[in-house]
Amino acid sequence: MTCSKQYKQGIMELPVLFLLLGLTRVSRSCLDPISAYRFTGAVCRLTYPAALVLNEKTAKVIEAAFQHARYPDMKGEKSLLFVGKVHYNLNNLEIHDLLIGGSEVELRANDRIAISISNVSATFRGTMQYGYGSWLIDFGHSVDFEIESHIDLVVNPKLYCGKDKVAADTSDCYLTFHKLQLILHGDREPGWLKKVFTDFVTFTVKVVIKSQICKEINKLADTLADFIQRRAERFLSDGDIGVDVSVVAAPTLTSNYIESYHKGLTRYNNTSAVIEASAFNPAQLTEDRMIYFWLSDELLDPLVKAAHLDGRFVRSIGGQELADVFEGDLSASRPLLSSETPLLKTWSVSVPRLRTTPAGTSVRGVAAVELTAPSSDLSLYFEAVSWHTTSSERSLFFFPVLQNIGVYLERGITTLMNKQGLDLFEIINPIVLPGEGYVIVQLDFGFPQHLLVDFLKKTLESQQL
C-alpha cells in the first residue's frame, strides 16, 4: 500500500476536531500530564494565535447564551409609607435588540482562560403586575416595561478533569451593569410608580439576569463538549473502524498554548489497540504555528491494520482510469490490455505495517494485482512488496505499475474523509515533521464556520424540544 500526498494531508487533518477545548470523554482515571504521556496516542497544542481566531466567534456563543436563557417570573413585595405592602410580579421577561461589542481572551498559566466581553447592549421587556395590601384583594394593576442595559461580561473558564470528560468550570462568571434603565408604559401613574419600583425592580432584574446568563453559559459549555465529542467520534469512525480520542489527562495551560492529551486507540470489531509506551515529550513541539498535532505510530499503525482487516484496501479499475494507471494507450502492444473490457483489481494481501523515523513515514506490505480480460479469457496475477517513504514522495515496487495503483486506492480514502466533512476545513500551509515513532503536523487554520453554525442550530433545536 502507498500513501500519497493527499492521504498524508488527510491523516494530518484527522485530529482537527481535537482542538476545540479537548472536551472529550474518558474511561481511564485522569492522570497528571507527565504520568499520562506514555498512554498518549495523539496530542493537540493550540497556541495563543489560534485562541485569538477562535475568540473571533466567541460573541456568537455569548449571543446564544443571552438569547437562549430562560428568565423566570420574579415575585416580591415592598413596604411603603401610607400604602402598606406593594406586591409585584415580573412576567414574560424577554431579551431584544442584542448587540455585542468587543471580545478579548487571555491564557493564564496553570490557572484558567480569561474571556472578556465588552459593551453588550440589550433591551429586556416584560410585564409587571402590582397590587396593594393582599393579592386576595382585587387592587391589581398591570404595566408593560422595558429595561435598557449596557453590560460587560467576564467569564474565566477553568479546565479540569471531571467525571467522564475534561470539563470547563464557568462558575467564575460575572456581569457589570453600566446602565440599567427602567421604562414603564401604559400606566396612569408612571411617575410615582417608576420612582417606587426602579430601585428594587432593577436590583432584582440584575440578580436574575446574572444568574441565568452565567447558568446558560455553563450549559452551553457542556453542550459544546458533547457536540465536539460526537463530531469527533463520527469523523474518526466509519463502519466497524473507529478511534477513541478520549483524553488521558486535563489539558496543560500556559500563557502561550493549551495542550490536550488523547488516547488515540484504534477500535475495530469491538477490540481496541493498547498504548503503554508512547514516545511523547512536550519538548518535541514548538509554539510558532497555530496548531500542532503529535501522532504516535501506535495510533496510525493499528489504523492501517484495521483498514486491511476490514477489506478497505481493495480497488477495481477499468476504462480510462486503467489507461491512466499505465500512462498510455491500452491497445499499444499489450494483448491483455487491448481487450475491450480489461479490468484491474488490486488489494492488500498482508497486514501493512507503518513505521516512522526522522527520515520519514514508511508503509510496507504485500499487494496483489489481478488483470483480467473477460472477453478473451485472459488473466494475469502477481504479488509484490510495497514500500513507501513520505519524505521521498516515491514508492519502490517490484513492478512500477503498483505506484499508480496505490494513488487510486488513496483517492478512495480521501473521498471517505471528505464525506465526513474534511473538505470543509480551511487548512493553511501544513508541514509534516517525522520523528522516531511519531509524526508532528504543524499548521495554521481558518475558523470552521460551518461547525459554529451547526452547533448553534443544534442548540436552538434542543431548546425547542
Side-chain angles (χ1 to χ4, degrees):
M1 299 302 99
T2 67
C3 291
S4 69
K5 187 175 183 180
Q6 283 182 312
Y7 179 59
K8 287 195 304 173
Q9 183 171 343
I11 285 294
M12 66 192 180
E13 291 169 4
L14 278 177
V16 72
L17 288 170
F18 295 172
L19 73 93
L20 297 177
L21 297 183
L23 300 175
T24 47
R25 303 189 180 280
V26 297
S27 56
R28 180 192 299 272
S29 297
C30 290
L31 306 172
D32 65 275
I34 295 178
S35 301
Y37 291 162
R38 66 191 185 97
F39 303 110
T40 299
V43 177
C44 172
R45 176 174 289 187
L46 174 73
T47 62
Y48 184 67
L52 292 179
V53 171
L54 295 175
N55 184 60
E56 293 174 3
K57 305 301 179 181
T58 299
K60 291 293 184 183
V61 178
I62 298 301
E63 183 177 321
F66 272 86
Q67 292 177 334
H68 295 157
R70 296 293 182 262
Y71 303 100
D73 293 346
M74 293 164 270
K75 295 182 179 180
E77 63 180 37
K78 184 175 178 63
S79 296
L80 299 176
L81 188 64
F82 305 119
V83 177
K85 289 185 178 180
V86 178
H87 301 264
Y88 69 91
N89 191 356
L90 304 181
N91 304 102
N92 306 318
L93 190 62
E94 296 179 348
I95 191 169
H96 298 268
D97 305 324
L98 176 65
L99 293 175
I100 295 181
S103 176
E104 297 180 357
V105 63
E106 177 188 359
L107 304 182
R108 296 178 180 173
N110 302 316
D111 187 14
R112 61 190 68 226
I113 304 169
I115 301 173
S116 300
I117 309 295
S118 61
N119 197 25
V120 180
S121 63
T123 300
F124 295 89
R125 295 175 183 166
T127 301
M128 181 169 64
Q129 297 174 335
Y130 64 95
Y132 314 107
S134 170
W135 284 110
L136 300 176
I137 304 175
D138 190 15
F139 290 116
H141 300 269
S142 179
V143 60
D144 294 333
F145 71 89
E146 292 184 0
I147 298 178
E148 295 180 350
S149 65
H150 286 169
I151 305 169
D152 288 343
L153 169 65
V154 174
V155 186
N156 298 315
K158 186 177 182 63
L159 302 183
Y160 68 98
C161 201
K163 182 180 180 181
D164 294 333
K165 65 180 179 181
V166 172
D169 178 4
T170 62
S171 59
D172 189 2
C173 167
Y174 55 93
L175 284 71
T176 301
F177 291 85
H178 298 291
K179 175 184 178 182
L180 200 66
Q181 181 179 359
L182 178 66
I183 302 173
L184 301 176
H185 302 283
D187 193 273
R188 290 174 299 182
E189 306 170 296
W192 76 266
L193 192 62
K194 180 176 180 180
K195 182 178 179 181
V196 169
F197 281 105
T198 293
D199 291 340
F200 65 90
V201 168
T202 53
F203 174 79
T204 302
V205 170
K206 278 184 182 181
V207 173
V208 171
I209 290 175
K210 176 191 180 301
S211 173
Q212 295 304 114
I213 293 298
C214 291
K215 184 185 298 183
E216 186 64 27
I217 289 174
N218 189 65
K219 184 171 27 173
L220 280 174
D222 289 338
T223 302
L224 180 60
D226 293 336
F227 174 79
I228 296 303
Q229 167 72 9
R230 290 193 300 269
R231 289 298 295 253
E233 289 182 346
R234 188 178 73 184
F235 187 83
L236 296 170
S237 302
D238 188 72
D240 294 325
I241 300 176
V243 177
D244 181 356
V245 295
S246 302
V247 294
V248 293
T252 294
L253 179 63
T254 75
S255 60
N256 296 322
Y257 63 82
I258 304 171
E259 188 169 87
S260 58
Y261 313 97
H262 304 263
K263 290 182 178 180
L265 302 178
T266 298
R267 296 191 302 254
Y268 178 66
N269 277 348
N270 298 320
T271 62
S272 177
V274 177
I275 297 177
E276 294 184 339
S278 174
F280 175 71
N281 188 311
Q284 296 161 350
L285 302 177
T286 59
E287 302 171 17
D288 302 323
R289 303 294 299 278
M290 292 174 67
I291 305 174
Y292 294 81
F293 298 119
W294 184 97
L295 304 175
S296 172
D297 280 1
E298 295 185 71
L299 182 161
L300 298 176
D301 184 57
L303 192 61
V304 172
K305 177 181 178 180
H308 164 78
L309 295 175
D310 204 51
R312 302 300 183 95
F313 295 140
V314 177
R315 177 79 178 182
S316 296
I317 307 171
Q320 185 58 45
E321 280 190 306
L322 186 56
D324 293 340
V325 168
F326 285 89
E327 300 178 340
D329 187 349
L330 289 178
S331 61
S333 66
R334 298 184 178 95
L336 195 58
L337 297 179
S338 61
S339 166
E340 293 182 1
T341 57
L343 181 67
L344 185 145
K345 181 179 179 181
T346 181
W347 64 95
S348 56
V349 175
S350 66
V351 175
R353 298 308 306 268
L354 180 145
R355 180 170 179 254
T356 304
T357 68
T361 297
S362 301
V363 179
R364 191 176 191 274
V366 177
V369 177
E370 183 179 45
L371 183 61
T372 60
S375 62
S376 62
D377 294 326
L378 296 174
S379 65
L380 172 66
Y381 174 87
F382 61 88
E383 296 180 2
V385 175
S386 159
W387 183 276
H388 175 76
T389 302
T390 57
S391 61
S392 66
E393 285 297 333
R394 258 196 335 263
S395 296
L396 304 179
F397 299 99
F398 288 151
F399 296 90
V401 69
L402 288 180
Q403 182 172 359
N404 285 334
I405 293 170
V407 171
Y408 281 89
L409 287 172
E410 294 142 16
R411 287 180 184 174
I413 296 172
T414 302
T415 299
L416 173 62
M417 289 189 290
N418 285 341
K419 184 182 73 172
Q420 306 288 57
L422 178 66
D423 56 331
L424 298 176
F425 290 91
E426 182 185 358
I427 306 300
I428 302 171
N429 191 25
I431 297 175
V432 181
L433 301 174
E436 192 63 47
Y438 64 89
V439 169
I440 294 174
V441 182
Q442 55 186 40
L443 54 96
D444 297 325
F445 75 102
F447 188 87
Q449 180 70 21
H450 67 286
L451 279 183
L452 178 64
V453 172
D454 195 17
F455 167 66
L456 294 177
K457 179 181 177 182
K458 292 184 182 302
T459 300
L460 179 60
E461 290 173 350
S462 65
Q463 292 282 351
Q464 295 173 342
L465 294 178

